[in-house]
Amino acid sequence: QVQLQESGPGLVKPSQTLSLTCTVSGGSISSGAHYWSWIRQHPGKGLEWIGYIHYSGNTYYNPSLKSRVTISIDTSKNQFSLELRSVTAADTAVFYCARGEVGYSSGWLDYWGQGTLVTVSS
Amino acid sequence: EIVLTQSPGTLSVSPGERATLSCRASQSISSSYFAWYQQKPGQAPRLLIYGASSRATGIPDRFSGSGSGTDFTLTISRLEPEDFAVYYCQHYGSSPLFTFGPGTKVDIK
């Protein structure tokens, strides 16, 4: 059973960088069939996809966040990470990592972490 | 950019009844890249349906998905107490790659 677990600070100051890590267990992050995503959910709101990374290092970001986001991967630790720069209070959200089943005739998120709340406040 | 619209925003249903949730895309999309998720308070979303009509692993058969083109439906045949939640539709393929609908809340009547 694949499991994902987010970790990182729950509080970030405005203008600083939000950094989160997702640790994958029960499966290899180097599986070529999967892409590893970050999604966020503002309090009481819907889901916003941030971006994903493939073990090869290929990334794709939501254009609305692209200028502030970097997703990286560490296959030796079976982890992938999110950096969101220059945060404001509007970035306060629950952040989820998830595994994407992506390819020809596929495009969904089949395993999710439990989520971590990140608050941006001074 | 494809926009997904879900209706109704809130659906009040009694346990044991049938619930029908709708998701409409702003343009025709491939059903292969369409999914439904369930989210309960304080929990992560859970994949219910992928490819518009295939149930994910461990999902009870009271959940079914259908549709094509611009109109997709999630049906819960007989609501159990644990089914009261928010349901999201999702499309993959157009910018920003993963697009979610705003959600339908199913609550107890």
Side-chain angles (χ1 to χ4, degrees), chain B:
Chain B
E1 178 183 344
I2 291 175
V3 177
L4 300 177
T5 303
Q6 292 186 243
S7 60
T10 301
L11 183 62
S12 296
V13 187
S14 299
E17 288 188 341
R18 181 187 191 91
T20 302
L21 288 66
S22 175
C23 181
R24 176 164 288 179
S26 57
Q27 57 187 276
S28 183
I29 60 176
S30 170
S31 58
S32 295
Y33 302 109
F34 186 86
W36 289 96
Y37 301 83
Q38 176 194 66
Q39 187 178 32
K40 298 179 183 179
Q43 296 185 18
R46 176 175 70 148
L47 178 67
L48 292 177
I49 301 288
Y50 63 92
S53 60
S54 297
R55 275 187 299 276
T57 303
I59 301 304
D61 61 7
R62 64 180 181 272
F63 290 91
S64 63
S66 63
S68 63
T70 60
D71 293 306
F72 297 85
T73 300
L74 175 70
T75 301
I76 311 171
S77 59
R78 296 171 308 279
L79 272 157
E80 298 286 343
E82 61 267 28
D83 299 336
F84 293 95
V86 179
Y87 293 83
Y88 294 96
C89 58
Q90 172 250 305
H91 172 253
Y92 172 82
S94 65
S95 182
L97 278 194
F98 285 91
T99 304
F100 294 92
T104 289
K105 182 179 181 181
V106 178
D107 67 15
I108 300 175
K109 187 174 183 180

